[in-house]
Amino acid sequence: MAACRKGKDLTRSADFDDALDSFPAKAEESLDPKDWEAFRAEAHRGLDMMIDYLRDARQRKVWQPAPAEVRAEFRTPLPQQGKPLGELLDTFANSMLPYANGNTHPLFMGWVHGGGTPVGMVAEMLAAGLNSNCGGRDHIAIDVEREITLWLAEALDFPRDSSGIFVTGSSMANMVALLVARTDALGESVRKDGLRQTERQLVGYASIEAHACIERAFEMAGVGAAFLRRLPVDAKRQMDVAALRAAITEDRAAGFEPFLVVGSAGTVNTGAIDDLAALADLCAAEDLWFHVDGAFGALCVLSPELKPLVNGLERADSVALDFHKWLQVPYDAGFFICRHPELHRQTFMSTAAYLARAPRGLAAADIWPCDLGPDLSRGFRALKTWFTFQTFGAVRLGATLAQTCHVARHLEALIRRSSIFELSAEVKLNIVCFSVKGDATGEINREIVMDLHESGVAAPSTTRLGGRPVIRAAIVNHRTQTKDMETFVAAAEACAVRILARRAAPVAP
Ligand SMILES: *Cc1c(COP(=O)(O)O)cnc(C)c1O
């Protein structure tokens, strides 16, 4: 464009008209389909494909690696021209669907993954169609997100005016908690001054069983991982509260500023739950922020059977949890709730001019979600959560949580009866850790898990307990049944027998 020479004032020059003229007149086109009916047919095919996929979850392998030739399909140059939707749906069906993560499958028990639901899938589609930006402004999606906060406050026995926000996952929710606790300790000025202006170094506390994201939050927030004290646990893998009390006293005497205790409701290793009531008492006495990482365990409040396990949770200052794990909402749907809405807002609210609130119109409404977290543009995560609660109701969802714990109990019983395996930790909730008897290094446990993954029969994962890898099955998926545990243990035993036989065989000369 010759007319765009640097320094030229286009608005007052005849060149301006030339500049416009230099754009050839062209029919203006949106990216919407030209033939809506053809699009509708293809879109329905996509929906049907996914309904079948979920209906037939049990019939597939849990997981299989993508072959090299399939991976190669995803190493192409940037496409310059478009392809028909139908062709892309075929690629999706042939080259993506068979090689997915596998967590929709009933025998997926690795890490802590939710299984998703068909209704959650439909809600995701509806949300994508609306394409709401839930950073703020006055539109109904913001009301839906507020309603989830209200529901959660009700379930957790939190005050009705608690503030809450959807984030990617509990990693981010725990980070948000740390930042709000930091505001509580140092005042809003910490946002401007940072941590160098403070007299005393902040220190926080969590058990050695706390999730790794707590330490990462300390790193990312600039407090420093060295200032997260990792406290020992007792035989039940609960934080040693006496050790916590002693550490706080010691840190104060040494000139540090204790500010935050992170309790775990459902540790990722074994599902252990800290003594939350004792931690609440101690935090109240010591004037410390009491945050609970309840990524999955906080949802125990939905089940009358499980709720007593998280007694004391209702006294937390804040809670992090994931709807995408035990509640089966499709990824991602992490949440942070806080009983001090003002401190929460003070931690994140921005005064940027383009975010100014208007007395009326679309820019009205006082608190926007962007005042409560690090994100500005954000999707409508609340909708799939709303559909999940509305479709099933809290009672049924609570029963599903209890069901996964019953399935875990059955697995525990099978392991107790096994001649090959033994339990590696107490089963508190829905996580069962076990090991081949006498596998001192845990090498056989690791081999078994890899073999199981490759067989496609079951997908547990490993964790380290007592310094060695053990097999870990987290029953999170609502599709997992008692009978699946028989299949799982039989397959795991068969793997163990093969591996042990291989090891015992004399090495060929
Ligand atoms: C999964 C998990 C996290 C991390 O949550 P993401 O949603 O994966 O970010 C934190 N704490 C516990 C106890 C978890 O189980």
Side-chain angles (χ1 to χ4, degrees):
M1 272 194 301
C4 282
R5 278 185 304 270
K6 206 174 167 190
K8 275 240 171 186
D9 181 352
L10 292 176
T11 56
R12 288 205 287 150
S13 154
D15 286 355
F16 183 61
D17 297 328
D18 294 349
L20 283 180
D21 287 346
S22 71
F23 287 107
K26 231 180 159 185
E28 292 176 354
E29 278 188 85
S30 80
L31 298 175
D32 284 334
K34 283 203 182 65
D35 181 344
W36 283 94
E37 290 313 310
F39 173 79
R40 188 190 303 280
E42 292 293 5
H44 283 187
R45 181 160 80 88
L47 180 60
D48 281 339
M49 186 195 299
M50 292 319 288
I51 291 173
D52 290 349
Y53 178 79
L54 293 178
R55 182 196 59 196
D56 301 336
R58 187 172 281 284
Q59 265 108 63
R60 288 188 299 274
K61 284 186 165 193
V62 180
W63 174 83
Q64 57 184 337
E69 61 274 20
V70 170
R71 287 189 205 274
E73 288 177 37
F74 299 95
R75 304 282 188 277
T76 62
L78 175 69
Q80 297 297 333
Q81 304 301 330
K83 296 192 179 100
L85 176 58
E87 193 181 311
L88 297 172
L89 285 171
D90 289 340
T91 305
F92 176 77
N94 298 326
S95 304
M96 298 190 211
L97 265 194
Y99 311 110
N101 194 137
N103 50 314
T104 52
H105 194 287
L107 278 139
F108 185 99
M109 296 166 284
W111 304 275
V112 178
H113 280 34
T117 63
V119 75
M121 170 179 83
V122 170
E124 273 290 61
M125 188 196 70
L126 302 178
L130 279 182
N131 193 28
S132 295
N133 184 334
C134 295
R137 294 155 289 271
D138 191 9
H139 54 107
I140 203 68
I142 307 294
D143 292 80
V144 177
E145 184 157 346
R146 283 221 188 91
E147 183 166 46
I148 302 291
T149 309
L150 280 174
W151 288 348
L152 195 59
E154 183 181 331
L156 292 171
D157 296 324
F158 260 46
R160 216 180 135 72
D161 71 345
S162 297
S163 51
I165 186 163
F166 275 92
V167 287
T168 39
S170 284
S171 302
M172 184 52 81
N174 285 316
M175 168 88 179
V176 167
L178 190 156
L179 294 172
V180 180
R182 196 183 68 162
T183 305
D184 181 45
L186 301 177
E188 198 177 350
S189 62
V190 67
R191 292 177 61 179
K192 181 163 60 72
D193 297 335
L195 294 167
R196 294 293 296 273
Q197 299 288 333
T198 57
E199 280 169 41
R200 290 191 303 264
Q201 168 68 45
L202 294 176
V203 291
Y205 306 85
S207 87
I208 50 168
E209 291 287 303
H211 195 273
C213 69
I214 308 295
E215 192 165 298
R216 276 167 47 82
F218 273 70
E219 293 168 10
M220 293 189 289
V223 176
F227 302 102
L228 172 65
R229 310 288 193 228
R230 305 300 297 264
L231 295 152
V233 292
D234 62 16
K236 292 174 155 179
R237 296 182 186 273
Q238 293 181 312
M239 195 195 304
D240 180 338
V241 181
L244 170 61
R245 189 174 292 113
I248 293 167
T249 307
E250 198 177 304
D251 279 329
R252 287 218 167 102
F256 292 106
E257 180 153 342
F259 79 118
L260 166 69
V261 173
V262 180
S264 297
T267 61
V268 68
N269 268 342
T270 68
I273 299 170
D274 285 335
D275 183 344
L276 303 178
L279 294 182
D281 287 341
L282 191 143
C283 288
E286 299 283 347
D287 194 23
L288 301 177
W289 188 274
F290 177 35
H291 172 68
V292 176
D293 175 8
F296 59 100
L299 290 164
C300 283
V301 297
L302 296 177
S303 158
E305 199 178 321
L306 302 175
K307 189 171 178 180
L309 295 172
V310 292
N311 181 30
L313 181 60
E314 72 287 353
R315 292 165 62 199
D317 291 299
S318 56
V319 177
L321 60 86
D322 281 322
F323 292 117
H324 57 219
K325 288 177 176 169
W326 233 359
L327 211 74
Q328 319 295 333
V329 171
Y331 284 90
D332 48 34
F335 203 83
F336 172 76
I337 186 164
C338 177
R339 75 164 67 238
H340 310 284
E342 191 54 23
L343 277 172
H344 188 180
R345 200 185 52 84
Q346 280 171 10
T347 304
F348 294 103
M349 183 136 186
S350 149
T351 52
Y354 49 86
L355 298 176
R357 313 298 143 92
R360 53 199 175 75
L362 183 52
D366 42 359
I367 305 293
W368 290 1
C370 65
D371 300 329
L372 301 175
D375 298 314
L376 180 52
S377 295
R378 17 196 324 276
F380 193 2
R381 295 186 181 108
L383 190 66
K384 55 195 172 183
T385 310
W386 188 91
F387 265 91
T388 300
F389 272 116
Q390 294 281 24
T391 301
F392 303 108
V395 171
R396 174 132 177 238
L397 291 168
T400 302
L401 308 185
Q403 173 180 303
T404 62
C405 294
H406 293 151
V407 172
R409 290 280 171 213
H410 186 69
L411 174 57
E412 177 188 8
L414 292 177
I415 299 300
R416 282 190 194 284
R417 256 184 270 150
S418 167
S419 57
I420 295 175
F421 296 121
E422 64 190 4
L423 287 170
S424 304
E426 186 187 341
V427 179
K428 191 73 184 176
L429 287 175
N430 55 339
I431 298 180
V432 182
C433 293
F434 60 98
S435 168
V436 169
K437 288 179 184 170
D439 182 14
T441 61
E443 269 317 297
I444 303 173
N445 293 331
R446 285 187 63 218
E447 291 277 325
I448 291 171
V449 169
M450 290 188 282
D451 283 0
L452 282 172
H453 288 179
E454 288 181 343
S455 75
V457 173
S461 58
T462 61
T463 191
R464 290 185 79 84
L465 289 179
R468 62 171 181 154
V470 300
I471 304 168
R472 173 174 161 287
I475 318 297
V476 185
N477 191 330
H478 58 101
R479 300 184 181 100
T480 310
Q481 299 177 355
T482 308
K483 67 173 190 210
D484 295 318
M485 296 304 99
E486 321 271 340
T487 311
F488 170 40
V489 173
E493 284 185 340
C495 287
V497 167
R498 261 197 314 274
I499 293 164
L500 290 167
R502 205 155 61 217
R503 294 196 164 204
V507 181

